Amino acid sequence: MKLLIADDELYMAEYIQKLVDWRDYGFDQVFVANGGSMARDILQEFVPELLITDIKMPRISGLDLSAFIDEKKYPTKVIIISGYSEFGYARQALHYGVSEYLVKPVLKGDLVETLERILQKNFVLEEKKEKDKICLAGDKSALISYVKNYIYENFDQNLSLDVLGEVVHLHPAYLSKIFKEVTNMNLSAYITDIRMQKAAELLEQTELKVHEVMELIGYRKSQYFSRLFKERFGVTPVEYRRTVKKDLSNV
């Protein structure tokens, strides 16, 4: 799913972005908008599932964005952030279908509570319908085993939460939640781990160049790939291959 955070004070938007691990709640794309104009453009282009916005911004306010979403009939849910002095103003946003509002300063506990409430309120019925579509949904362990196997066999493909949700006919947020429950691991972290394991195998067993290995496992940016690989194995792909060859020569 997609999340948009809008605030004319960029540091505040970035603060909210870093306050929680959004992947735990099913959001694998997080957009940050420095003001209402940029937020409206992102809304039009990407139609995110959730908008978190300051209510008072120059030119285009959070209330204006809420009205815009209501006018366009977007499915985007809205969390408004307001100060105590703006409380009455925030109440007006309910007219446009705003789901929740938070009072400044935004604390992690308040954000988590609000986020869980809005996900439960707006997505629970959809999740229940989707869970009924497949028998696996009745057995979380079987479902996660199926997802793991799909990831292993399709490690080089697009494995976003939306894609995996479609594969098993479940809402992405629900899938992310039960994957974490069963494995105690983020779904995105698991995907990265499988890809790094496969990269290591290819470096050991083939003469493919590093950039060819990178592309085969689904990455396009070499610096990003090298950083992920080093985080997993403690060395770069080039260093890993050199070490493996050295060990083999000493056997």
Side-chain angles (χ1 to χ4, degrees):
M1 295 191 296
K2 296 179 288 295
L3 164 70
L4 170 58
I5 303 169
D7 199 306
D8 58 306
E9 297 178 315
L10 185 58
Y11 77 91
M12 183 57 65
E14 292 177 339
Y15 162 75
I16 293 173
Q17 180 186 18
K18 297 173 182 176
L19 203 53
V20 299
D21 188 341
W22 293 101
R23 295 172 299 181
D24 289 347
Y25 299 93
F27 295 98
D28 52 2
Q29 284 185 280
V30 179
F31 301 97
V32 173
N34 186 19
S37 296
M38 182 185 297
R40 187 177 62 183
D41 291 342
I42 294 173
L43 280 169
Q44 286 182 298
E45 184 172 357
F46 297 100
V47 191
E49 282 77 9
L50 179 63
L51 165 67
I52 301 177
T53 178
D54 189 5
I55 197 164
K56 291 186 73 174
M57 294 184 290
R59 293 184 294 279
I60 297 178
S61 69
L63 190 60
D64 293 329
L65 292 175
S66 302
F68 177 75
I69 289 170
D70 184 63
E71 176 189 342
K72 295 292 186 180
K73 301 189 184 305
Y74 290 158
T76 306
K77 306 305 177 185
V78 182
I79 297 176
I80 286 284
I81 298 173
S82 68
Y84 281 110
S85 62
E86 303 156 358
F87 187 76
Y89 186 43
R91 297 284 293 183
Q92 298 177 35
L94 297 176
H95 173 73
Y96 299 113
V98 170
S99 304
E100 298 281 350
Y101 52 86
L102 287 167
V103 177
K104 297 176 182 177
V106 178
L107 303 178
K108 181 175 180 178
D110 294 334
L111 176 60
V112 168
E113 182 179 335
T114 300
L115 186 60
E116 290 180 346
R117 187 164 57 245
I118 197 173
L119 288 172
Q120 177 74 11
K121 184 191 304 180
N122 293 289
F123 300 143
V124 67
L125 293 178
E126 183 178 350
E127 289 170 4
K128 286 180 178 178
K129 290 178 183 177
E130 291 174 339
K131 282 190 290 181
D132 291 339
K133 292 180 181 178
I134 59 172
C135 60
L136 284 174
D139 185 339
K140 291 181 179 180
S141 295
L143 172 64
I144 297 308
S145 294
Y146 182 87
V147 171
K148 283 183 171 181
N149 186 62
Y150 181 87
I151 291 169
Y152 186 80
E153 293 182 349
N154 297 275
F155 61 87
D156 59 333
Q157 302 299 314
N158 179 6
L159 294 174
S160 69
L161 267 175
D162 287 337
V163 168
L164 292 174
E166 289 180 6
V167 168
V168 293
H169 305 290
L170 290 175
H171 194 283
Y174 180 76
L175 175 58
S176 177
K177 178 182 176 183
I178 62 173
F179 192 93
K180 183 71 176 289
E181 285 179 3
V182 174
T183 67
N184 199 32
M185 187 178 190
N186 288 330
L187 184 51
S188 58
Y190 179 80
I191 294 169
T192 298
D193 191 62
I194 291 297
R195 284 173 166 166
M196 293 304 105
Q197 290 180 37
K198 190 63 179 179
E201 290 178 13
L202 291 170
L203 290 169
E204 290 176 28
Q205 301 171 12
T206 74
E207 295 299 322
L208 290 170
K209 296 179 180 178
V210 172
H211 74 87
E212 293 174 328
V213 170
M214 174 192 74
E215 292 174 359
L216 277 175
I217 65 169
Y219 292 101
R220 295 293 177 266
K221 296 183 179 180
S222 58
Q223 288 185 334
Y224 181 59
F225 167 64
S226 293
R227 178 170 65 80
L228 291 176
F229 192 92
K230 190 169 184 178
E231 287 176 358
R232 176 64 173 80
F233 294 102
V235 293
T236 66
V238 173
E239 292 168 339
Y240 183 88
R241 171 170 274 170
R242 187 182 302 129
T243 301
V244 169
K245 287 186 176 181
K246 183 178 180 180
D247 291 343
L248 290 174
S249 66
N250 290 333
V251 175

